[in-house]
Amino acid sequence: MRKTLFILLSSILTLSAFAQSQKDAFAGFYKGKITLADGSELKRGYPVSMYPEIYAEIYRGPQAKYRVKILTGILSRAETTSFADGLTASDGKIEFKTSEPLALKGTATPSEIVASGKYNGQDVKIDLKRFEFKSPTLGAKAPKGAVVLFDGTDPSKEWELVSARQTPVNWTLKDGAMTVKTDAKKPDGKKLNTTIESKRAFGKCKLHIEFNIPPMYDCLGQARANSGVFFGPYEIQVLDSFGAEASWDHCGSVYRQTASQYNASLEPGAWQTYDIIYTPAKFDGDKCVAFPTFTVYHNGKRVQYETPVPYSTSMPLKKIAEFKHPKEPVKLRLQDHTNPVSFRNIWVQEL
């Protein structure tokens, strides 16, 4: 039984490695207006009438099934005013029907969403256009005095493999980005984990890093393009969390400890940013008197604010009493979690 279970799990992991797809044409955000059927302004109906614009989010899951959400805002904890799931695309469009409070019937294409229906007893219509959100810190240049950890050229200048110290980084290098090498092998043919670690260590600092999560639509949960940014024993999660509720193992979380304030993820295939301020633990002699903290901006949105980290994010709860926070500066790691996540424009400003 154990052998059968092992083979099954191995098969699932193998399939996950090959589940990467091209970026879906529908998946992403849409932005536009909701009006009365005659085109005049919507004057009543809480909360939709309060907002000058309305948004939609189209998520693609396994088996090419789609979900459409109509929202009063994005990258925030905005209300879902209309919802349809389990949809399929045919002839370049997705037809959908939602229920109250915003009951709509309409069509989505990769460029727009058009629908009509009822809201608060009124005949309404929506017209939304595809909206490509770009992080305000995308392409941010390293300030004077910052340490550039990756400038789009040789990653081995500042990084090394954790599993084989002083070995050149073997990640794929293309168009100024480096991508986790998921098919690296040891001399005996077994998989080589290619997690990389910075050669330098840092104390209190600000990290800017840009990442691109590959589309892995047939995967769910932690198999959906997983990686992580580590400061010593502490991880800020990297994962395809587009369309998900903010949870403690989703993108923007202090992994398995503190969920992000809200989901600021973009659709897979889009370049995203982290701007992370790390403050080390404080000590009185050998006694830790203040936990390390993280402030995290995900795509320019603050999703963690001075969040304390009481123990290693990879440590089982039953062992946390044994954990000792590092007193010395920590090195950074970018995780190989078997998925080809890409990174670029990495710099650290010591604070």
Side-chain angles (χ1 to χ4, degrees):
M1 179 64 182
R2 289 183 178 179
K3 183 176 180 181
T4 302
L5 181 59
F6 175 79
I7 293 172
L8 178 60
L9 290 172
S10 298
S11 299
I12 292 171
L13 291 172
T14 302
L15 288 172
S16 296
F18 291 98
Q20 184 179 351
S21 306
Q22 294 295 316
K23 185 176 180 181
D24 188 88
F26 292 96
F29 293 122
Y30 296 72
K31 175 183 176 181
K33 299 281 188 180
I34 179 170
T35 65
L36 296 178
D38 62 6
S40 60
E41 182 181 351
L42 186 69
K43 295 186 180 296
R44 60 186 172 87
Y46 178 86
V48 177
S49 62
M50 298 175 61
Y51 295 86
E53 294 164 326
I54 197 165
Y55 297 83
E57 167 196 287
I58 296 184
Y59 162 90
R60 176 178 164 178
Q63 300 178 331
K65 293 296 180 68
Y66 295 89
R67 180 177 66 225
V68 175
K69 281 185 180 181
I70 309 298
L71 305 160
T72 54
I74 57 171
L75 282 71
S76 63
R77 289 194 180 275
E79 300 95 339
T80 299
T81 61
S82 202
F83 179 91
D85 205 355
L87 308 171
T88 57
S90 178
D91 298 326
K93 61 185 179 181
I94 300 171
E95 294 184 349
F96 64 94
K97 185 177 181 180
T98 68
S99 56
E100 295 181 347
L102 179 53
L104 295 171
K105 184 177 181 180
T107 301
T109 70
S111 61
E112 67 176 349
I113 296 176
V114 177
S116 60
K118 291 279 189 180
Y119 180 63
N120 197 32
Q122 306 164 99
D123 292 324
V124 297
K125 64 180 182 179
I126 66 170
D127 187 0
L128 313 181
K129 305 298 182 186
R130 184 58 179 265
F131 176 55
E132 301 289 346
F133 181 90
K134 289 191 176 181
S135 167
T137 67
L138 195 68
K141 294 182 179 180
K144 184 177 179 180
V147 177
V148 177
L149 291 181
F150 181 61
D151 62 2
T153 58
D154 182 9
S156 294
K157 293 177 184 177
E158 295 286 349
W159 302 86
E160 61 185 358
L161 291 177
V162 173
S163 59
R165 300 290 182 183
Q166 300 179 340
T167 299
V169 174
N170 60 350
W171 287 20
T172 303
L173 188 63
K174 184 180 180 182
D175 298 330
M178 57 177 175
T179 302
V180 176
K181 190 171 179 60
T182 60
D183 58 353
K185 303 291 184 184
K186 298 178 181 178
D188 60 6
K190 294 181 179 179
K191 182 180 183 319
L192 173 67
N193 184 282
T194 65
T195 294
I196 59 176
E197 185 175 73
S198 63
K199 295 179 181 179
R200 308 191 199 200
F202 301 93
K204 185 174 182 179
C205 64
K206 174 184 176 180
L207 168 72
H208 174 85
I209 187 167
E210 300 176 8
F211 58 97
N212 193 305
I213 292 170
M216 300 182 70
Y217 301 115
D218 289 331
C219 299
L220 291 172
Q222 296 298 293
R224 201 169 168 105
N226 196 324
S227 185
V229 178
F230 284 77
F231 291 71
Y234 319 113
E235 179 185 5
I236 304 300
Q237 172 75 310
V238 173
L239 188 74
D240 176 13
S241 300
F242 177 73
E245 297 296 328
S247 181
W248 71 346
D249 57 1
H250 285 166
C251 209
S253 69
V254 177
Y255 184 60
R256 295 197 67 79
Q257 289 189 21
T258 307
S260 58
Q261 290 179 317
Y262 48 82
N263 187 350
S265 292
L266 304 184
E267 71 274 14
W271 279 100
Q272 307 190 52
T273 62
Y274 269 158
D275 293 276
I276 302 170
I277 297 172
Y278 163 67
T279 302
K282 294 180 175 62
F283 293 85
D284 182 1
D286 289 332
K287 182 181 179 181
C288 177
V289 294
F291 294 138
T293 65
F294 284 95
T295 295
V296 180
Y297 291 84
H298 184 192
N299 293 319
K301 305 293 184 179
R302 193 178 73 189
V303 297
Q304 303 281 351
Y305 180 64
E306 297 183 358
T307 301
V309 187
Y311 52 90
S312 167
T313 54
S314 58
M315 177 168 281
L317 286 175
K318 60 186 178 182
K319 293 187 176 182
I320 61 174
E322 305 170 14
F323 180 70
K324 296 186 182 300
H325 292 281
K327 298 178 72 172
E328 65 280 353
V330 298
K331 293 187 175 183
L332 308 182
R333 287 188 179 186
L334 301 180
Q335 185 184 41
D336 170 4
H337 204 291
T338 75
N339 301 143
V341 178
S342 300
F343 298 90
R344 71 181 186 190
N345 191 20
I346 309 171
W347 49 263
V348 175
Q349 183 180 22
E350 296 182 274
L351 303 176

